[in-house]
Amino acid sequence: MTTTKRTEPAVDAGERDMLEGWLDYHRETLAVKCEGLDEAQLRTASVAPSDLSLLGLVRHMAEVERGWFRKVLAGEDVGAIYCTDEDGDGDFHPAESDTFAEAETTWRAEIEIARRNAAGFGLDDLSKGKHRRTGEIFNLRWIYTHMIEEYARHNGHADLIRQRIDGATGD
């Protein structure tokens, strides 16, 4: 079992270091929630009728990283990873052949691309792309704040799913 190291940002960090630090902390929190589980456990849905699983959350966050840091921030013309026209929530609906190893590799690759893309922008710089539904543009500060919120919310879900699987709790 791998032990993921999470580090909170320094209490006196500057704004960008603080935002990036908290985002990385929450990214690694999701990894911690998945550690030590087998494929079946990672596919375990939370509570009926929900089909939310840890595997689905990792796949979802890969889509979210891609959406905000590639499509919106950098204006890249890239398609979805798991979602389709037939299943707009395909990230939450893995097929039997889909594995956690693939999902984690994809998610971590999207995180690395997100970091590279964000490095080319200042906090006040506006995105090159627009939100697919609203057409809005965002500055990097807003995207960082939104991503921290997105991870924090889903990490709460992950906490409940993990507790249901094996009783593990934690922050």
Side-chain angles (χ1 to χ4, degrees), residues 8 14 19 25 40 55 65 67 70 76 80 83 95-96 108 110 140 154 156 162:
E8 290 184 17
L19 291 168
Y25 178 84
L55 174 58
E65 293 274 359
R70 295 181 75 177
E76 293 178 24
C83 300
E96 284 301 315
R108 291 200 181 275
E110 289 298 328
L140 179 58
H154 288 311
R162 180 64 189 249

Side-chain angles (χ1 to χ4, degrees), residues 22-56:
W22 278 111
L23 180 53
D24 283 340
Y25 178 84
H26 282 289
R27 286 168 169 156
E28 292 311 313
T29 297
L30 181 56
V32 166
K33 299 301 174 190
C34 298
E35 282 183 347
L37 299 176
D38 64 30
E39 202 71 34
Q41 290 171 313
L42 292 161
R43 291 173 171 277
T44 299
S46 53
V47 177
S50 174
D51 54 6
L52 191 60
S53 68
L54 292 170
L55 174 58

Side-chain angles (χ1 to χ4, degrees), residues 71-148:
K71 294 178 182 180
V72 176
L73 183 65
E76 293 178 24
D77 185 16
V78 293
I81 305 166
Y82 304 109
C83 300
T84 64
D85 290 339
E86 296 77 31
D87 187 357
D89 290 326
D91 43 356
F92 291 120
H93 305 137
E96 284 301 315
S97 60
D98 293 325
T99 66
F100 182 78
E102 178 281 323
E104 182 180 29
T105 297
T106 299
W107 172 56
R108 291 200 181 275
E110 289 298 328
I111 289 169
E112 287 310 311
I113 294 167
R115 287 182 179 128
R116 282 196 306 273
N117 285 352
F121 287 78
L123 291 177
D124 293 321
D125 292 345
L126 295 176
S127 61
K128 292 180 180 178
K130 297 178 181 178
H131 191 272
R132 67 181 171 84
R133 286 189 307 260
T134 67
E136 290 177 282
I137 58 173
F138 301 85
N139 67 25
L140 179 58
R141 178 183 291 104
W142 191 96
I143 293 171
Y144 275 152
T145 303
H146 174 70
M147 290 297 293
I148 292 165

